[in-house]
Amino acid sequence: MTVSLDGVSKSFGHLLVLDDITDVFAEGEMTALLGPSGSGKSTLLRIIAGLTPLDSGRVLLSGRDVTKAPARDRHIGFCFQDYAPFRHLSVFGNIAYGLKVQRIPRAQRKAQVDELLGLVRLEEFADRYPHQLSGGQRQRMALARALAIKPDVLLLDEPFGALDAQVRGELRSWVRSLQRELGITTILVTHDQSEAMEIADRLVILNDGKIEQAGKPSFVYDHPATDFVAGFLGPITTLWGIDYRPHELELALDGDEGEKGTVTEVVRLGFEVRVVLTNQTSESTWVQLTHDQAKALNPVVGQKFVVRPRAQNLVHNDATSREARPID
Amino acid sequence: MKRPSLALRCLVLLYVAALLGVPLVFVFQQAFSHGWAALWAALHDHAMDEAILLTAKVVVLAVPLNVFFGIGASLWIVRHPSRISHVLDVLIDIPLAISPIVVGLILELAYAQNGWFGSTFSKLGWKVMFSLPGIVVASIFVSLPLVSRQVIPLLREIGDHQEQTAATLGAKPTRIFFTITLRSIAWACAYGVTLTLARVIGEYGAVLIVSGNIAMLTQTLTLNIGANFENFNGYQGFVGALLLALVSVLVLVVIGVARHRLERKRHDSFA
């Protein structure tokens, strides 16, 4: 099912949180709403779910206008960052909740819950209560509970925010493969750009209640429409007053087409090596090298190099490449 | 942490014994002082039985009303905060701040036959003062905050994400209330109910004024005990006190269980 937003605006008091958002989330696609805190991404998610009323604009599900429909009639699965487990119900009871609402007979309900328990690998935990689960298990339970009603759309608010790094990595790829398997239109909110790049088919970058840019993660990363997007998605450095990704620059021992500079700092971060160079007019640039590149060049402080771009420079302040999709 | 010294522990125990233990033992001792047969007869005292019946009626009416109001007010204050609900939040505590005697006098001013609404009510043929409705109103008034003061902090703590999740799963508001909200606050309500129960059964001052304290008609158990002492019928008074003490012990047990469950609920809350 596609989710279309048509000029959605929302204010809290005098604060404009969402300013005329128009976009289409395609069938079966995994979209990451990415932005700093306060950019309006969670509010947008709540508006799609029907948990927060909007001030103006429309929300359409495959063309059906649901702007005024309450959350219970939208058939949209929603997972909160804190997972909001029903504390007084067991894992089984949590997952069965939506099926009970739909008055599915007991035997059929049990079969469906058992299947979901298998899907989220919580078979052993059916009788446990939420407080007896780890963070990752609670998250999978919340996901199974949302999926139980076979929703048309799945919304995840900062789904991995409250987990430690290792569990987060595992769950991320697991959620990704599950989403592919089920083919469910999914929108997730995150402020972590690496998470968004890894998991999403499409990024929508929000800032100050506006869509800054949208598109495929790799495209947006390589062709950021604005300085904000460029800086938010990854490191940038400047050479001749132009922005580059530090890995898009290279070092050479000599050559004509490049800026001559002296190494002032070398930082080794495992696989990555950062080399900071300063030219004659004290402008500094930093270059990101792989471990192998660094080994070949072996840069040391005080050494002279030529810095030059490996590829075309990066930032296009070109409104047409922002790619928010218009509504048909 | 260092254990408090033996002397300090003895002091605390002595303090509690002098304040609570000795009077309680004294009540039991007095009530049983004339033997079982006398106790049995005293339990069948006509005026006291009528008083117990009246107290039971008041409990049956006042406690559910107070629970209903307490939950409703709590939901309004926590889930739909507005200027009016903030005022309500403050007003709910008034009964804790003013003396029951004053409550009684206020109610008399309002509901007596020549009072503000009393005159209208008497035209309609309703008698509020010196009858059951007045006693119920006074009981509700003095126990007004006891449920909501337990429920409000818990509602704030659990937040509304569970309720909203239930909504996205297709549940209607009434279903959400009964399956999520009420289940979450059940033990806080139980605690509030027992506090209300104890307060309604034990209330003296406000009820004394609004009831008129007429034996066999508008005399609750506490008023009956008071009247027996005043009329030099101390033994009968101690038997009534014994009954109240037994109710108190029961209430304490229920409160203990409810509070234990409530604290466990809080410990189960998530980071």
Side-chain angles (χ1 to χ4, degrees), chain A residues 28-48:
Chain A
E29 207 173 48
M30 168 85 97
T31 308
L33 290 180
L34 182 63
S37 51
S39 58
K41 53 194 193 305
S42 286
T43 305
L44 190 59
L45 205 68
R46 292 177 57 88
I47 283 175
I48 295 170

Side-chain angles (χ1 to χ4, degrees), chain A residues 163-177:
Chain A
L163 302 170
D164 62 55
Q166 201 200 335
V167 180
R168 186 158 54 210
E170 286 169 17
L171 267 178
R172 217 189 263 177
S173 48
W174 177 76
V175 166
R176 180 69 181 119
S177 56

